[in-house]
Amino acid sequence: MKIRIRTIVFLALLLAVIITGTVIFTDFLGPAFLELSNLFNIGRTRDYSFSSVVLEDMREIFTFHTVEFVYKAVFPHDYMEEGVSIESIMQTLRSGSGKIEDLLSESEQEYLEVYKLAKSIGIDIEADPFDFVVLTVIVRGGFDLSGTVYEDPGSAEREEIEHWLTVFPPEVPDREGKGRIVVKLPRAEITDIYIEDETSLSYNYPDIRIDPDGWKRLTDYVRKKSIDKILKEGILEIAASNAESFLQSFLLQAGYGSVEFTKGYEKTE
Amino acid sequence: MRNRIIKCNIQKKYTSFFYPRQPPGKTLGPLDISFFSNYSIEMRKSILLLFALLLLLLFAGCTGNDTERVRTVQTQIQNLLSLHTFEYIYRDVVYLGKEKSFLFFKTMDKRLLFSIDIRVQAGINLQKGFEIITERGNRGALYLKLPSPEILLIDAREDTIRQYFLKEYGGTISRLEFSDEIDAVKTRIAEDARKRGILEQARKNAEDILEKILALSGFTEITFLYPEKTDEVQEDEEIQG
């Protein structure tokens, strides 16, 4: 009988310790239990958030977007090559002497860079290889018309205008007897790049522990890497080609018999 | 992308508590539960309850989001035809925190203060369709039917983040915690931008630049037409009014 009572007391104590631990260290039973504990004035929880917004700046922009790349990046795994590890890198560094660039291959250098970045923002790849974050990067290509002859043809010289756009008068018609136009577009460029803002409703992956400063450094890195990747995928060529087909259909609808695009994009100085 | 197998490692520990009257010489295997018959019914119930609770706690810590697989998503290319002509930059200062105490002890105190710029861009989405109408006999005249101007982008610019302070005691700040805060002000910002006339400015600029480009192409009389008021435009005007 004595043993039985002792066992029950022990179990009760164990249960109390587990519940208390849960309340303190996890969010699993914490909120529900604390609500209950509030009734007895033994526990308290307080969430607060304030936000104030102020308009800082307003400006004119003249960007014409003609293509958009949506790219999902998985940090850090997308930037760490298979077969490379921090142990092998450290081994190489310990056994050799000289500059890091000479000792490590390109993929090892990139691995080391990502490893250091991840560690500095609180993601320890070696300790917890399951930490990751998925970022949706949106890269837009097109034309920034600000500063080109298209933004303000009034102030441009006649020669400059003719360099970009030549309209042949009806006296010099095309084969079908209609007007003809020759267009030279500014150089296509990456007009915008941004990381989609996720919320707990739209983000389906596990959340990671990171502060805003770490998030800034992480997104800077992913943004830079995404530009390289998207440029390799030919964003500028697609942007230029889309603009040509848009302008062609636009000017044909407007009554021109033919629209020509001159090769080699140049930008006004 | 590497295939990663996410495992939850539950350690099996056997202590003397679980087999008090262990027959001498008998060794228990990991799946051997014969020791259970040595307890009374009440005791078995208590042990089962304890096990159920422990399992619940272990699963709470090991499953859920951790087992979510990373889906590989390919780059998606979309054709776009949008003319962005006006931009507002807002600065959002966010302060968030959480405090927990239990039995007069502070078990959690996390606080964060940071600022971030949010940009709002407006312009014309030509992908919604446009129409060109020419006037017979007048080569220089053109009627251009365009979609109504709209807010095309509201984006929090991560590169402008400035973190003033961070305190993490008994808990950490996660990304979604602060990004939810940023998201919460977006609707307010969009309303404010509309009130200040961002759509009107975007329309004026779009007309201006199109007029100039078309003038280069030989069109001197350009008239812009917009579709009849949609619910969205009416709503914009109500906000502006």
Side-chain angles (χ1 to χ4, degrees):
Chain A
M1 191 64 183
K2 240 182 183 179
I3 294 169
R4 207 171 140 192
I5 291 167
R6 258 190 220 165
T7 316
I8 290 167
V9 170
F10 180 78
L11 282 174
L13 278 172
L14 191 64
L15 202 65
V17 168
I18 289 168
I19 291 174
T20 314
T22 309
V23 168
I24 295 170
F25 296 110
T26 75
D27 277 343
F28 176 60
L29 281 178
F33 189 81
L34 277 174
E35 264 179 39
L36 190 71
S37 63
N38 277 337
L39 291 175
F40 303 102
N41 204 21
I42 54 169
R44 197 166 58 92
T45 184
R46 196 161 75 97
D47 283 286
Y48 45 90
S49 61
F50 307 104
S51 180
S52 70
V53 186
V54 64
L55 177 65
E56 270 210 329
D57 191 21
M58 48 174 85
R59 67 184 183 111
E60 290 180 336
I61 44 168
F62 293 108
T63 45
F64 182 44
H65 304 282
T66 56
V67 68
E68 181 178 80
F69 276 61
V70 181
Y71 165 60
K72 292 260 183 192
V74 182
F75 183 89
H77 307 298
D78 266 356
Y79 308 100
M80 300 167 86
E81 202 173 287
E82 193 91 35
V84 182
S85 71
I86 196 68
E87 287 86 13
S88 66
I89 292 171
M90 287 303 160
Q91 188 68 36
T92 314
L93 290 176
R94 271 188 222 114
S95 57
S97 62
K99 285 181 181 173
I100 290 180
E101 296 83 51
D102 302 331
L103 293 170
L104 300 178
S105 67
E106 212 172 288
S107 57
E108 284 174 326
Q109 285 177 44
E110 190 172 330
Y111 190 103
L112 189 62
E113 190 187 355
V114 176
Y115 177 83
K116 285 199 280 191
L117 171 68
K119 193 141 190 164
S120 73
I121 60 175
I123 301 174
D124 192 343
I125 303 160
E126 298 302 309
D128 188 359
F130 308 124
D131 260 356
F132 67 91
V133 57
V134 179
L135 297 101
T136 308
V137 188
I138 295 163
V139 185
R140 284 175 171 172
F143 303 89
D144 185 1
L145 303 171
S146 314
T148 68
V149 71
Y150 296 105
E151 191 196 354
D152 189 11
S155 64
E157 296 290 323
R158 189 184 165 82
E159 278 176 7
E160 196 189 349
I161 293 171
E162 282 175 356
H163 173 78
W164 289 98
L165 201 134
T166 319
V167 181
F168 289 93
E171 297 84 56
V172 196
D174 68 348
R175 282 178 197 167
E176 291 173 9
K178 287 183 174 177
R180 194 158 66 95
I181 189 162
V182 180
V183 181
K184 187 180 268 186
L185 284 170
R187 188 182 290 275
E189 56 190 77
I190 288 177
T191 42
D192 201 0
I193 176 162
Y194 64 97
I195 311 278
E196 201 170 69
D197 304 325
E198 303 276 8
T199 64
S200 45
L201 292 174
S202 63
Y203 189 73
N204 300 316
Y205 306 98
D207 197 5
I208 57 158
R209 176 203 163 180
I210 193 166
D211 61 25
D213 189 51
W215 183 243
K216 178 188 175 182
R217 280 184 286 143
L218 192 156
T219 51
D220 278 349
Y221 179 82
V222 171
R223 203 179 284 121
K224 195 181 93 194
K225 287 286 168 189
S226 301
I227 289 175
D228 298 343
K229 184 184 162 59
I230 300 295
L231 281 174
K232 277 184 198 155
E233 299 230 8
I235 188 171
L236 302 183
E237 290 75 15
I238 299 171
S241 147
N242 282 357
E244 281 184 13
S245 43
F246 164 73
L247 278 176
Q248 192 166 33
S249 72
F250 186 94
L251 292 166
L252 288 177
Q253 274 188 67
Y256 280 98
S258 64
V259 183
E260 287 169 33
F261 294 94
T262 52
K263 283 186 179 176
Y265 298 95
E266 287 171 21
K267 189 152 184 169
T268 44
E269 292 301 320
Chain B
M1 181 65 209
R2 264 179 274 184
N3 286 327
R4 291 178 183 277
I5 301 163
I6 299 173
K7 284 180 183 172
C8 170
N9 195 11
I10 304 169
Q11 284 190 333
K12 298 178 186 73
K13 286 182 180 172
Y14 298 91
T15 66
S16 59
F17 169 75
F18 290 108
Y19 33 103
R21 278 174 278 165
Q22 178 67 33
K26 189 181 177 188
T27 318
L28 288 175
L31 294 172
D32 192 343
I33 54 164
S34 61
F35 70 90
F36 205 65
S37 59
N38 297 328
Y39 286 102
S40 64
I41 291 170
E42 289 81 15
M43 202 62 195
R44 281 183 214 177
K45 278 183 188 169
S46 307
I47 291 172
L48 277 174
L49 191 74
L50 186 65
F51 266 117
L53 192 71
L54 280 171
L55 278 174
L56 205 63
L57 292 174
L58 286 167
F59 278 109
C62 301
T63 60
N65 283 340
D66 286 356
T67 51
E68 188 112 32
R69 286 170 192 277
V70 180
R71 281 173 288 177
T72 309
V73 187
Q74 287 185 331
T75 308
Q76 217 180 3
I77 303 166
Q78 289 165 193
N79 289 337
L80 208 68
L81 284 173
S82 62
L83 187 60
H84 292 226
T85 55
F86 217 87
E87 182 178 71
Y88 282 5
I89 304 283
Y90 286 87
R91 192 169 183 80
D92 184 15
V93 181
V94 183
Y95 178 57
L96 59 98
K98 191 171 189 171
E99 277 177 30
K100 270 186 189 180
S101 61
F102 186 66
L103 290 172
F104 313 108
F105 295 104
K106 197 171 259 188
T107 55
M108 182 192 281
D109 184 8
K110 52 182 190 179
R111 296 177 211 183
L112 169 67
L113 178 68
F114 72 100
S115 69
I116 187 167
D117 284 0
I118 297 175
R119 62 180 173 153
V120 184
Q121 285 190 355
I124 306 264
N125 184 2
L126 293 166
Q127 255 179 329
K128 285 193 170 173
F130 61 91
E131 213 179 313
I132 300 161
I133 305 155
T134 50
E135 202 178 299
R136 197 171 282 177
N138 187 354
R139 263 191 85 85
L142 198 73
Y143 295 89
L144 201 55
K145 200 171 176 181
L146 294 171
S148 302
E150 58 188 290
I151 289 178
L152 299 168
L153 177 74
I154 306 181
D155 174 51
R157 290 179 52 198
E158 296 82 8
D159 57 319
T160 62
I161 288 176
R162 187 174 170 203
Q163 188 171 306
Y164 298 101
F165 66 74
L166 169 71
K167 183 182 181 184
E168 286 179 326
Y169 171 73
T172 54
I173 298 277
S174 76
R175 175 175 74 115
L176 294 177
E177 268 180 90
F178 62 81
S179 55
D180 280 350
E181 278 310 312
I182 296 166
D183 193 69
V185 299
K186 281 187 177 175
T187 322
R188 215 156 22 112
I189 286 176
E191 268 181 37
D192 185 81
R194 285 192 185 107
K195 271 184 199 165
R196 289 176 193 267
I198 192 170
L199 298 180
E200 188 55 33
Q201 284 159 320
R203 186 189 59 75
K204 194 178 145 290
N205 275 6
E207 284 180 4
D208 192 39
I209 195 147
L210 286 171
E211 213 162 35
K212 283 171 180 170
I213 293 172
L214 288 166
L216 283 175
S217 313
F219 298 99
T220 46
E221 291 171 43
I222 300 139
T223 312
F224 291 96
L225 306 166
Y226 293 93
E228 282 182 23
K229 284 174 188 175
T230 60
D231 290 346
E232 195 184 328
V233 176
Q234 271 177 349
E235 194 183 298
D236 287 342
E237 286 187 355
E238 276 167 22
I239 292 165
Q240 280 176 43

